[in-house]
């Protein structure tokens, strides 16, 4: 690991602030509640195993892993999300630790965890190779790396493509989050440092929204990246109206016909080599 530059620190401060906007815990709890449970099961979280959830948010995957009996650390760059997670954990009787941590510079020892997982979390770290290197580093040899990431072709990948023309330019070196949903991209990130790789494209059924407009308005209010894009064009009403329509059209295109959508993600598991 190298010391962070002023530019790195500024970028991480910006990312932390973005994810603190709106109400991401509502997105996790109301829109994709089962995604974390799927990942926790795929990770093999069980009694006697030490588990790190990277980009844990409000604990969508960390809490199910703790309920499975594992010793879990939920880490995230944005600790503002932890309060909602602690409340859910208490309600469900889950015991786990909540720790602020940068996915690109994790404050943990090499090989400290039996399982390292991330549920649509690490994909948003801007420098993919640095984040992948950290996932491998803190996982013990033979341990499990388990990821659930939105695909470029799936609904969230399409949503980011819609928002891109309206967003501020990405910082130098930052890569698009949905690339983590590409089998080839993840394979290149991990290389020969992992074995027993399994990948499966799945879809999470989303039936939270009765209309495409309801989806759009919920994400405008609750989802940090969408809020940030709208703030970028707030003084350009023509662009706001255009993005409003494009996001609604995205919802309409993906509606299965009864107010439900399937959002594709890549479920990835592997063992650290060595």
């Amino acid at each position: 690991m190298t010391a962070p530059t002023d530019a790195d620190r500024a970028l991480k401060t910006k990312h932390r602030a973005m994810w603190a906007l709106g109400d991401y815990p509502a997105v996790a709890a109301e829109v994709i509640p089962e995604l974390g449970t799927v990942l926790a099961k795929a990770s093999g979280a069980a009694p006697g195993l030490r588990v790190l959830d990277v980009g844990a948010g409000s604990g969508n995957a960390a809490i199910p892993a703790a309920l499975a009996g594992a010793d879990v650390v939920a880490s995230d760059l944005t600790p503002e999300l932890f309060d909602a997670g602690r409340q859910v954990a208490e309600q469900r009787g889950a015991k786990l630790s909540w720790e602020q941590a940068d996915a690109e510079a994790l404050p943990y020892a090499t090989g400290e965890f039996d399982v390292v997982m991330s549920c649509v979390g690490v994909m948003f770290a801007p420098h993919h190779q640095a984040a992948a290197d950290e996932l491998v580093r803190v996982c013990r040899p033979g341990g499990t790396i388990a990821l659930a990431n939105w695909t470029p072709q799936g609904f969230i990948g399409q949503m980011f493509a819609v928002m891109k023309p309206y967003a501020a330019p990405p910082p130098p070196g930052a890569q698009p989050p949905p690339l983590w949903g590409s089998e080839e991209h993840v394979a290149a990130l991990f290389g020969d440092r992992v074995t027993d790789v399994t990948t499966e494209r799945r879809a999470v059924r989303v039936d939270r929204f009765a209309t495409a407009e309801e989806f759009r308005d919920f994400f405008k209010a609750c989802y940090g990246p969408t809020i940030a894009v709208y703030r970028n064009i707030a003084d350009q009403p023509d662009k706001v109206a255009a993005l409003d329509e494009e996001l609604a059209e995205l919802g309409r295109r993906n509606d299965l016909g009864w107010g439900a959508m399937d959002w594709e993600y890549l479920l990835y598991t592997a063992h650290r080599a060595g």
Side-chain angles (χ1 to χ4, degrees):
M1 293 183 294
T2 58
T5 65
D6 288 344
D8 288 333
R9 283 189 286 267
L11 177 59
K12 297 307 168 61
T13 298
K14 182 178 179 181
H15 267 237
R16 172 180 171 176
M18 179 185 71
W19 286 105
L21 294 171
D23 188 358
Y24 183 76
V27 177
E30 299 178 26
V31 183
I32 54 170
E34 68 269 29
L35 194 57
T37 301
V38 169
L39 180 63
K41 183 177 180 181
S43 77
L49 297 182
R50 186 156 165 76
V51 175
L52 176 66
D53 187 0
V54 179
S58 51
N60 198 25
I63 291 172
L67 290 172
D71 176 11
V72 179
V73 175
S75 69
D76 201 284
L77 185 67
T78 306
E80 290 86 347
L81 303 175
F82 291 164
D83 287 344
R86 289 189 181 100
Q87 292 178 11
V88 174
E90 184 176 358
Q91 292 166 3
R92 298 182 63 183
K95 297 185 182 300
L96 63 157
S97 300
W98 303 85
E99 300 178 4
Q100 184 177 8
D102 179 354
E104 297 178 6
L106 293 169
Y108 305 111
T110 297
E112 184 172 342
F113 295 92
D114 302 295
V115 175
V116 180
M117 65 179 185
S118 185
C119 183
V120 296
V122 73
M123 64 182 290
F124 291 100
H127 305 110
H128 294 188
Q129 191 63 63
D133 291 349
E134 284 294 271
L135 296 181
V136 173
R137 183 185 66 80
V138 300
C139 185
R140 67 165 175 80
T144 299
I145 296 172
L147 309 171
N149 293 315
W150 303 121
T151 66
Q153 301 84 5
F155 183 85
I156 296 296
Q158 293 176 47
M159 186 180 77
F160 273 89
V162 166
M163 295 192 302
K164 182 178 180 180
Y166 303 94
Q175 294 175 281
L179 281 178
W180 274 92
S182 161
E183 295 89 342
E184 294 79 12
H185 184 68
V186 180
L189 291 176
F190 290 131
D192 61 3
R193 296 176 297 173
V194 296
T195 62
D196 306 319
V197 174
T198 66
T199 60
E200 182 182 357
R201 292 198 176 213
R202 295 189 178 186
V204 59
R205 176 64 51 86
V206 174
D207 56 7
R208 166 65 174 74
F209 311 111
T211 67
E213 289 75 18
E214 185 180 351
F215 142 72
R216 177 198 64 205
D217 294 343
F218 181 90
F219 269 65
K220 284 177 68 173
C222 296
Y223 193 60
T226 306
I227 297 169
V229 170
Y230 272 97
R231 287 189 175 185
N232 187 57
I233 59 173
D235 60 348
Q236 303 174 74
D238 289 349
K239 287 190 175 182
V240 171
L243 181 54
D244 275 349
E245 176 53 31
E246 287 193 50
L247 286 176
E249 175 56 27
L250 173 67
R252 288 190 287 268
R253 286 201 310 270
N254 285 271
D255 190 334
L256 296 175
W258 56 91
M261 298 180 277
D262 283 340
W263 294 3
E264 186 182 68
Y265 65 95
L266 180 70
L267 183 64
Y268 172 99
T269 62
H271 293 136
R272 182 186 167 184

